């Protein structure tokens, strides 16, 4: 079954790399958003299997978006994997307060990203 994932990052190149790798290597449907507001709209209107969420974004950061996802009845069950360049002690405390499926550190290996996501979510990868 094809998975549908929302990728949220304010860096266009990250969105392009993640989308290309996950679509081309495993055939998942990837929706992209470059802001928390756009992502919240997509998350509440599209059926999603997971969200890959950048922590550091302007306007609404990843933590605020995570809070909103987890408080919305339509999105609270969607697993969220955080993407971050660094994990500070303060962030670890915040992460522990919210239910996250996992954490992927930037920079990541684009060619193995699908394996990381599948491993975190317990998904089997079906060959194309």
């Amino acid at each position: 079954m094809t998975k549908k994932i929302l990728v949220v990052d304010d860096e266009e190149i990250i969105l392009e790399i993640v989308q290309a790798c996950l679509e081309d290597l495993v055939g998942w449907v990837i929706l992209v958003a470059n802001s928390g507001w756009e992502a919240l709209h997509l998350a509440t209107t599209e059926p999603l299997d997971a969200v890959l969420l950048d922590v550091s974004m302007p306007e609404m950061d990843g933590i605020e978006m995570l809070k909103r996802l987890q408080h919305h009845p339509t999105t609270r069950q969607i697993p969220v994997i955080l993407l971050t360049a660094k994990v500070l002690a303060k962030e670890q405390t915040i992460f522990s307060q919210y239910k996250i499926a996992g954490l992927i550190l930037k920079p990541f290996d684009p060619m193995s990203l699908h394996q990381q996501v599948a491993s975190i979510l317990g998904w089997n990868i079906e060959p194309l």
Side-chain angles (χ1 to χ4, degrees):
M1 183 160 125
T2 301
K3 303 293 186 185
K4 186 185 281 189
I5 300 173
L6 173 60
V7 180
V8 187
D9 201 301
D10 61 316
E11 294 182 50
E12 193 67 34
I13 189 71
I14 298 290
L15 292 175
E16 290 172 8
I17 290 169
V18 172
Q19 183 174 26
C21 288
L22 298 182
E23 287 180 347
D24 294 348
L25 294 174
V26 288
W28 293 340
V29 174
I30 305 301
L31 303 176
V32 297
N34 63 9
S35 74
W37 296 111
E38 181 184 4
L40 283 173
H41 173 73
L42 287 170
T44 57
T45 58
E46 293 283 337
L48 299 172
D49 294 296
V51 174
L52 298 182
L53 176 60
D54 182 26
V55 173
S56 300
M57 295 187 297
E59 296 181 38
M60 181 192 313
D61 67 14
I63 301 303
E64 180 61 29
M65 186 180 162
L66 178 63
K67 291 177 192 176
R68 290 173 185 249
L69 287 172
Q70 291 185 349
H71 286 101
H72 194 285
T74 306
T75 59
R76 70 172 48 128
Q77 298 303 319
I78 301 170
V80 175
I81 298 173
L82 296 178
L83 299 171
T84 186
K86 58 185 178 277
V87 181
L88 304 173
K90 177 181 89 171
E91 289 175 329
Q92 285 180 330
T93 302
I94 293 170
F95 296 164
S96 68
Q97 294 174 2
Y98 298 95
K99 182 182 164 198
I100 61 168
L103 187 68
I104 295 176
L105 296 177
K106 293 179 184 178
F108 51 82
D109 175 12
M111 299 309 288
S112 67
L113 181 62
H114 64 288
Q115 294 166 331
Q116 285 182 279
V117 171
S119 176
I120 289 169
L121 298 173
W123 293 350
N124 292 320
I125 298 176
E126 299 173 17
L128 290 179

